[in-house]
Amino acid sequence: MNGPRPSAVPILRLGDVLVTGLLNELDDTSALAFTDELTERIAAEGARGVLIDISRLEIIDSFVARTLTELTTMARLLGARVLVAGMRPAVAITLVELGLELKGVETALNAEQGMSALGWSQVHQPPGGVPYDALR
Amino acid sequence: MTLYDEEFSARRRLTLRGHASAPGGTRTAQPVHATHAVRSEQDLLSVRHAVRAATVEAGFALVDQTRIVTAASELARNAYVHGGGGSLTIEVLGHGPRRGVRLTVRDQGPGIPDVDKALTDGWTTGSGLGHGLGGARRLMHEFTIDTAVDRGTTVTAIRWNDR
Ligand SMILES: Nc1ncnc2c1ncn2[C@@H]1O[C@H](COP(=O)(O)OP(=O)(O)OP(=O)(O)O)[C@@H](O)[C@H]1O
Ligand SMILES: [Mg+2]
């Protein structure tokens, strides 16, 4: 169609947590396909947690914000908890000014803290620690 | 329609005239002034790159770059989704330390019958969050909507580096 399709976003599985990330070059169609795929994987694999690393996203506009919010809601309906990790500070500032708070979306400062909040403790921290909210 | 204050018009004339030989012996880098099509999802991505490059050229810091690229993304998406496609023109304004970026997003779509409503957060005629237009206005310093039903919409938005 219009240039090369971005390759599908990889979704890895670590125990009962699915780990994935969003890239800048995701077009709308791919973003919707990603939502579908992730939702199917949550159901098929009985995932209890989903970590979405967004540290590579240079901007979040209202479309991406909506994608993240909808994903979180769908995952919750399927019994999984979503953690969005690694938002860049400039993105957080801009989101607030846009008036998009990603209501209901849990956040973590980085992927490691997100994983630990999802109970995936590799280090000494206790599982289920309070997630750091990068927006506040 | 009054788009610009006087100070700004003066500066704009200067900018336009000053293209070939910017005062102060600046490098020969071409001033950014380019129009990009907004007719596909891929265009929505390329437009962001072009706007980012202009903000860098104009010397904006990272947070301001992010604000301007995000506003451009919202306006381009509106032209694509609601306006049936259009174009985005990027201009770097001013010279010396005071610089700005102007985005002009045009479409020949259905127009916006009630601009005040459209600017209200949460108001949408589609499936969006209804934050794009009002949000883009908050992210920029100057913001003008020129729209006519069945004729199309032109949104002009500027952010300066010194406010
Ligand atoms: N270029 C345009 N042409 C026609 N109508 C428009 C245009 N831009 C905005 N609108 C109207 O204004 C409304 C609000 O726009 P806004 O960008 O705030 O929200 P949205 O596009 O519906 O959702 P989102 O939050 O995803 O941007 C739109 O739903 C649409 O009805
Ligand atoms: Mg919009």
Side-chain angles (χ1 to χ4, degrees):
Chain A
M1 221 172 66
N2 306 297
R5 285 264 131 208
S7 58
V9 183
I11 303 172
L12 310 176
R13 185 180 169 168
L14 291 176
D16 56 5
V17 175
L18 296 176
V19 181
T20 185
L22 291 182
L23 299 175
N24 283 319
E25 301 308 313
L26 199 65
D27 64 43
D28 299 11
T29 306
S30 310
L32 296 175
F34 169 72
T35 304
D36 288 352
E37 191 193 344
L38 188 59
T39 314
E40 276 163 27
R41 291 274 304 266
I42 293 168
E45 302 179 24
R48 304 296 310 277
V50 178
L51 183 95
I52 304 179
D53 175 40
I54 58 163
S55 60
R56 287 160 85 175
L57 282 190
E58 290 174 352
I59 72 157
I60 293 185
D61 61 9
S62 59
F63 178 80
V64 176
R66 179 158 59 104
T67 304
L68 288 172
T69 308
E70 288 179 357
L71 245 173
T72 302
T73 306
M74 285 188 273
R76 186 184 301 126
L77 292 174
L78 296 170
R81 179 175 168 203
V82 172
L83 248 139
V84 169
M87 183 183 296
R88 297 183 179 198
V91 170
I93 291 169
T94 304
L95 262 185
V96 170
E97 290 177 10
L98 264 183
L100 300 171
E101 311 153 50
L102 295 186
K103 266 207 197 80
V105 180
E106 279 186 274
T107 55
L109 184 60
N110 56 39
E112 197 181 351
Q113 291 192 12
M115 286 307 278
S116 107
L118 287 170
W120 215 83
S121 56
Q122 210 185 5
V123 235
H124 335 281
Q125 301 117 303
V130 181
Y132 183 90
D133 187 344
L135 281 179
R136 302 284 144 187
Chain B
M1 180 184 67
T2 317
L3 272 182
Y4 318 112
D5 59 33
E6 257 174 22
E7 190 200 5
F8 173 62
S9 323
R11 183 163 39 245
R12 176 158 175 265
R13 281 195 300 275
L14 263 178
T15 314
L16 292 176
R17 269 202 234 109
H19 274 183
S21 53
T26 39
R27 265 170 260 136
T28 50
Q30 283 299 304
V32 178
H33 186 146
T35 298
H36 302 261
V38 180
R39 307 221 160 265
S40 68
E41 288 183 8
Q42 194 57 49
D43 288 345
L44 293 180
L45 296 178
S46 358
V47 151
R48 288 187 201 169
H49 288 288
V51 173
R52 172 80 64 176
T55 62
V56 171
E57 147 93 20
F60 281 97
L62 182 61
V63 176
D64 273 347
Q65 290 175 23
T66 307
R67 288 184 172 111
I68 297 167
V69 176
T70 305
S73 182
E74 294 297 345
L75 298 176
R77 185 182 300 281
N78 279 352
Y80 173 65
V81 173
H82 306 295
S87 67
L88 185 156
T89 301
I90 307 165
E91 291 159 275
V92 173
L93 310 171
H95 51 83
R98 186 165 198 257
R99 307 289 289 274
V101 165
R102 174 165 54 207
L103 308 170
T104 307
V105 184
R106 290 191 177 83
D107 66 63
Q108 271 82 51
I112 306 176
D114 188 334
V115 172
D116 286 341
K117 261 192 200 158
L119 280 166
T120 306
D121 280 350
W123 195 87
T124 175
T125 57
S127 57
L129 299 170
H131 277 250
L133 204 57
R137 180 168 69 166
R138 283 191 292 274
L139 292 172
M140 303 296 279
H141 290 137
E142 298 174 34
F143 195 88
T144 311
I145 301 176
D146 183 21
T147 184
V149 170
D150 292 334
R151 300 263 307 278
T153 301
T154 299
V155 180
T156 309
I158 302 172
R159 191 170 177 100
W160 296 103
N161 64 357
D162 63 350
R163 283 191 217 167

